[in-house]
Amino acid sequence: MPKGAQRSPRILTHRSIAVRFCLFVCTLVFLMGMSAIAAVGSIGELHMRDSIRREIEGLGSGYGIAIGRVVQGGDLDAAQRMVNSMAAVPGMRDVRAEGVDGKFLARASGSTGAGPPAERFDLPLIAPGGVVVGRLKYEVSESPMPPPPFTAVWPILIGLIALMGLSVPLTIFFVRRITAPLRQLTDFAETVNANRLAIQVDIKTGDEFETLARAFNHMVARLDTSMRRVQRLAFVDAATELPNADRLQHDLRGAIAGAQRGGAPGALFLLQLDRLQRVGETLGAEAAHEVLTGATARLRTAVSAAGAEAGGAPMVARLSAEEFAILFATLPKTVDLRGIANAIAQPFDQSLEWREHKIALSAILGAAFFPRDGETPEEILRHARLALKAARETPLRMRFFSRSLDRAAAARLNLEKEMRAALDQNQFRAFFQPKIDLRSGRIVGAEALARWVRPDRSVISPAKFIPAAEEMGLICPVSESILRDACWKAAAWSREGLCARVAVNVSALQFADEDFPDKVLTILNQAGLPPQCLELEITESMAMEDVDRAIRMIEPLRAQGVRFAIDDFGTGHSSLASLTRLPFDVLKIDQTFIRGLSKDGHAPALVETILAMAAALNYDAVAEGVETDEEAEFLRRRGCPVAQGFLYSAALPPAEYHRILRQGSILAQRAGATPALDPVA
Ligand code: C2E
Ligand code: CA
Ligand code: CA
C-alpha cells in the first residue's frame, strides 16, 4: 500500500470477487458431482439389469432342461408342478410351456400382478440328448429390477461435500492472492483521490496488473504536474509572481486563527500605488511591466527590512492592479506601527525611472489589526480597505482602522439606501441660478443646480450628495433626473415666451456613456424644449481626457443646436491645441479666479487672459461666483458678457426663478438674494 493511503475497510461482501468466485466454483463442483452421481447411477442400473436378466435367463434355462425331460417322459403333471414352482419365483408371471406344435403343456400366471412386463423370455425345452421338445415362455415384471444401490452414491456425495468445503477457502485464498495488486491499485487510487499526487505504485507481477500500474503512475505524474500548475495560477499573481488575493485570504485566515488562540496579534497593511495603472495607459505595456517590476522589488525590499525589525517574515501579495497587501502574521506588542507603515510607504517617495520618464507613484496606506479589528479575513480586509480609503483624505496618506471608520461606512450605506429611495420618489430637483447680462442686467438664462428636497422640505446641497452619488454609481440617474427636470421646467417657461435658456451640469460618468447624445435628445424631445435652449456644462478635465471622443460625443448634439460650455475653466490643464479643436460655445471662468480678483495680484491678469482667449476662440465667456459689485464692475470693464453669482442670486426654486424670469431683470431682486441654500417655494 502506498504511504499515507487511507485504507478503506476490506470485507467479503456478496459482491466481492472472492465470494463470487467461490460461488462459481461451488456451483461447478456441485454440478459436476451431481452429473457423476447420475452417471454412476445409470451405469449401476444397467449393470444390475444385465446381471438379473442373466440370472432369470439362467433360471429359465434350468427349468427348460428340467421341464424338457419330464415332457419327453410324458409326465405333464410334473411339468405343471415345475411351471408352478417357476411362477412362484418373485417377479415371474405368465409362465407357459408349449409343445413344438405350439400347444400348451402347462401354464401358471405367477406371483406378480398386472402391468406391463419388463421383459419376455422365450427359451427351448431341451430333453436329454439335446432334443428340443417345446418352448418355455415367461414374462418378468419390473419389480425385480431394483433401483441402483445408494451405497455406490454415498462416497461420491461425501467426496462432493468435502470438495466443496475445501474449495471455498482455497478459492478465497487464491483469488485474494491473484487480486492483491488490484487492492494495491485501489489503495493507490484512494491516495490520489485524497489529493496526494507525489506518489507511485510499485507492482511487479509481470502481467496486466503491472501494465495497469505503469499506466496509473504515468497518469498520476501528469496530474501532479497539471495540479501544480493550476495551484500556481490560482495562488500567484502572474505579473509579479507575488501571492495573489486568494492566497492572502488563506494565510490571513490562518494568522487570525493563531491570534485568536492566544498567539501574538498581527496586522494587514494595504498599499495603493496611485497612477501605476495609468503608466500602461500612457506609456504602453512594456513601461507598465517594468515599472510594476521595479515597484514590486522596492516593496519587497522595504517589507523584508520592516519584517526583520519586527521579528517576522511578512507576506507581500498583489490584490489588484494598484493594490498590494502586506501581512504580518504576528507582531511584537511593543512594535512601532507607524514606523512599519513609514518603512513600507517610504520607498515610493522617490519616483521610478523608465527611459527618460520619471514616474511618481504616490503610496497610500491603510491597516487593520487582528484579532482587534475583526474575526474573519473578509472583515479584516474590509476594515483595512476602509482605512485605505480614509487615508486619501489625510495629509500623511496613511491611516489605521478605527471603529469610527466603520460607523462612517455604515452611515454611507444608509445614505445610499436613502438616495435610492429619493431617486424613486423624485426628490432630486433642479434649482436655477440666474445668469446675468453684465451690460443690461437682464437675465439671459440659468444654471440648473441639483438639490435634494426631502419630504420635510429640508434641502440638501449637491456638495453633500454628488460625491457620494459618484462613489455609489448613482450619479448618472441623479444627473439625468436633474436634466429631465430642468428641461421640462424650461419648456414650460418657453411656452410662455420667457427666456428659457438653461445650462445643465454633466457628470464624467454620464459623458462616458456612448448613448449620452441619444439620451439627451430623447429628453429634449419628451420635454418639448428647443435644443437651442439647452446648454451642457462639461468640466475642462472631462473634455481634455480624450479630445477625439469628446468631439464625437458633442458633435451630434451641437448639430441639433445644443450649446456646450467648458465648466470650471482654468482649474484643469487644457492645452491650447486641444482647446482650439474642441467645439465649445461657452467658457465658464472658475470662481476661484473671481474670488482672487481682490486678493491675488495675479488674478486680474489671469481673468483678462482668459477673457481674451475666449474672444479669440469665439467663445462666450461666463464668470462664475460673482459676489461683489467690484468683481462685477471689473468683469464688465474687461468685456465679460455674462456673470452668475450670489451678487445676483443663489440657485432658486423653480417657482421663484419663474417669478423673476417674468420680471426679466434680477436687479430689483438683488437685495433679497441670499448665498445660503434657499427655501422651497
Ligand atoms: P458648479 O457647476 O461649478 O456649480 C457652481 C457652484 O457654485 C454651485 O454650487 C453654486 O451654488 C455655487 N455658486 C454659485 N454662485 C456662487 C457664488 O457667488 N459664490 C459661491 N461661493 N458659490 C457660488 P452647488 O450648487 O453646491 O454645486 C456644486 C457642484 O455640484 C457644481 O459645481 C457641480 O459640479 C455639481 N452639480 C450641481 N448640480 C449638478 C447636476 O445637476 N449634475 C451634476 N453632474 N453635477 C451637479
Ligand atoms: Ca456648472
Ligand atoms: Ca463651475
Side-chain angles (χ1 to χ4, degrees), residues 133-187:
V133 290
R135 313 258 351 138
L136 177 67
K137 295 182 179 174
Y138 57 94
E139 293 174 1
V140 195
S141 73
E142 188 72 58
S143 53
M145 299 290 184
F150 258 98
T151 43
V153 176
W154 272 119
I156 299 176
L157 265 180
I158 290 164
L160 186 66
I161 290 164
L163 198 62
M164 276 165 64
L166 203 65
S167 67
V168 169
L170 271 179
T171 314
I172 290 177
F173 174 73
F174 279 112
V175 167
R176 290 199 130 196
R177 264 193 83 107
I178 292 167
T179 58
L182 198 63
R183 280 204 304 283
Q184 221 179 324
L185 283 171
T186 311
D187 290 337

Side-chain angles (χ1 to χ4, degrees), residues 516-517 520-521 524 531-532 534-536 538 550-565 580-586 617-620:
F516 173 69
V520 173
L521 289 175
L524 280 173
Q532 294 73 17
L534 179 66
E535 193 170 290
L536 292 174
I538 292 180
I551 294 171
R552 218 174 55 239
M553 300 298 280
I554 291 169
E555 279 304 353
L557 288 166
R558 262 190 110 226
Q560 299 292 317
V562 176
R563 283 156 54 93
F564 275 83
T580 49
R581 284 185 60 207
L582 280 162
F584 278 96
D585 308 278
V586 181
L617 292 170
N618 211 15
Y619 287 164
D620 287 343

